[in-house]
Amino acid sequence: MENQNSQEKKIKSGIAMLDVLESWGIDHIYGIPGGSFNSTMDALYDKRNSIRYIQVRHEEVGAMAAAADAKLIGKIGVCFGTADPGATHLFNGLYDAQLDHVPVLALVGQVASTAMNLNAFQEMNENPMFVDVSIYNRTVMNPQSLPFIIDEAIRRAYEHKGVAVVTLPVDYGFTNIVEVDVSSAKNHRTGFPLPDDKDIKEVIKLIQESDRPVLYIGHGTRGATEEVLALAQHFSMPIITSVLAKGIIPDNHPYLMGTAARAATKSANEALAASDLILFIGSDFPFARIFFPQHVKFI
């Protein structure tokens, strides 16, 4: 048994963590380096040919950039902040991701495990701060668990379309651990719930009975351009988009009216005001009660 253990391949925990990121297709990460993130910065240097580190001027910018990645390309965005001030600067970007329902992983630096709870420089109990903004929020408790927790964080962020936060004591990333493939990326699948046939028939009936239906789409329809256009053309519905959905429908498409309400185009506002039914897909537009006509039927 001792001989078998001695032959087990070892890897630094920080490198193992980045291997998990790479297995999920993550090829860049935003942040500002600091002492509590030294082990991860060392790992990023070792992995520089596969994971690019992008230094930003402020942690908020890094979090905003990670959220923008998720919105524009549909892949999880990754950012980091160091202990205490670096962590608190992430909030605006993380709340942006939370409110727009996109997956983001935030790595948060922490003092060494041997200094935790001893009032070390820039030490803060970071978990409670991220409770409201996150769907997954953990502090790593030992080096061997670090890759597993990162894998779980990414999986949860995709599953719940939200922010996952992992706090990393700085000494763990330097520690050699037994190399184990913990990534679930190769087994990860996404799907969509299907409505009942009776509900589809009711929707069709409502559209056919309306004189001026419009189709309002949000960024939840990203990746479904062909389906959106087929639906709009079949029922001759003009398309109005949220600001975040810009680009899903080509700007020169004859069915596209632009955006309505805030940051609006005149054509979209006029189409919306004249409509008698709104088919609303892929958005949680927060100004609907203010800007949308109140007399219309709404799906």
Side-chain angles (χ1 to χ4, degrees):
M1 180 64 72
E2 290 180 0
N3 187 42
Q4 179 182 347
N5 289 339
S6 65
Q7 293 177 355
E8 290 178 329
K9 186 176 180 181
K10 297 294 183 72
I11 186 173
K12 284 186 177 179
S13 181
I15 296 290
M17 174 187 73
L18 295 185
D19 284 344
V20 172
L21 296 185
E22 189 177 2
S23 73
W24 282 92
I26 294 164
D27 58 10
H28 63 279
I29 179 173
Y30 303 96
I32 298 179
S36 65
F37 218 71
N38 279 347
S39 60
T40 303
M41 293 307 301
D42 280 8
L44 281 168
Y45 181 80
D46 289 338
K47 297 284 289 184
R48 61 191 180 277
N49 292 328
S50 54
I51 297 181
R52 187 160 58 107
Y53 161 57
I54 301 175
Q55 182 171 337
V56 293
R57 298 292 186 182
H58 192 285
E59 288 87 351
E60 178 181 339
V61 176
M64 286 288 190
D69 279 351
K71 294 176 195 179
L72 295 174
I73 62 178
K75 189 167 70 174
I76 190 169
V78 184
C79 60
F80 70 81
T82 56
D84 194 358
T88 59
H89 289 165
L90 295 171
F91 278 121
N92 279 349
L94 299 187
Y95 272 105
D96 182 71
Q98 182 209 54
L99 293 171
D100 284 333
H101 309 292
V102 293
V104 164
L105 171 64
L107 304 177
V108 177
Q110 179 58 284
V111 300
S113 59
T114 53
M116 291 174 66
N117 301 318
L118 296 176
N119 298 319
F121 175 65
Q122 290 191 340
E123 181 196 3
M124 179 181 285
N125 183 9
E126 293 163 343
N127 283 96
M129 296 192 301
F130 293 98
V131 167
D132 182 65
V133 75
S134 64
I135 51 84
Y136 184 82
N137 179 25
R138 299 289 188 274
T139 293
V140 179
M141 302 305 290
N142 62 74
Q144 189 72 48
S145 68
L146 173 55
F148 173 84
I149 292 172
I150 293 297
D151 182 69
E152 182 71 5
I154 296 171
R155 190 183 66 78
R156 297 278 192 97
Y158 273 123
E159 179 183 358
H160 299 289
K161 297 180 175 61
V163 175
V165 180
V166 178
T167 301
L168 314 170
V170 65
D171 53 324
Y172 288 165
F174 292 123
T175 305
N176 285 323
I177 61 173
V178 176
E179 185 174 24
V180 179
D181 182 10
V182 301
S183 174
S184 59
K186 58 183 175 294
N187 299 318
H188 185 254
R189 302 289 185 274
T190 58
F192 301 94
L194 297 177
D196 292 334
D197 286 345
K198 61 181 180 62
D199 293 330
I200 295 176
K201 291 176 181 177
E202 180 66 17
V203 167
I204 292 172
K205 181 173 179 288
L206 287 169
I207 295 174
Q208 290 174 337
E209 290 176 349
S210 66
D211 295 321
R212 299 175 301 280
V214 299
L215 176 57
Y216 185 101
I217 65 168
H219 78 96
T221 61
R222 194 168 297 280
T225 298
E226 292 183 7
E227 291 85 348
V228 170
L229 288 175
L231 177 64
Q233 290 166 352
H234 183 79
F235 290 108
S236 297
M237 290 187 291
I239 302 172
I240 300 170
T241 76
S242 68
V243 174
L244 288 176
K246 182 174 174 58
I248 294 176
I249 306 301
D251 287 344
N252 61 353
H253 195 280
Y255 277 63
L256 182 64
M257 299 291 104
T259 58
R262 301 189 72 182
T265 58
K266 184 173 184 288
S267 56
N269 275 347
E270 290 178 346
L272 198 62
S275 67
D276 60 356
L277 180 140
I278 301 172
L279 177 55
F280 192 82
I281 305 176
S283 179
D284 60 356
F285 185 61
F287 302 102
R289 292 183 181 274
I290 301 173
F291 291 111
F292 285 9
Q294 300 301 304
H295 63 279
V296 302
K297 293 180 180 178
F298 195 90
I299 304 173

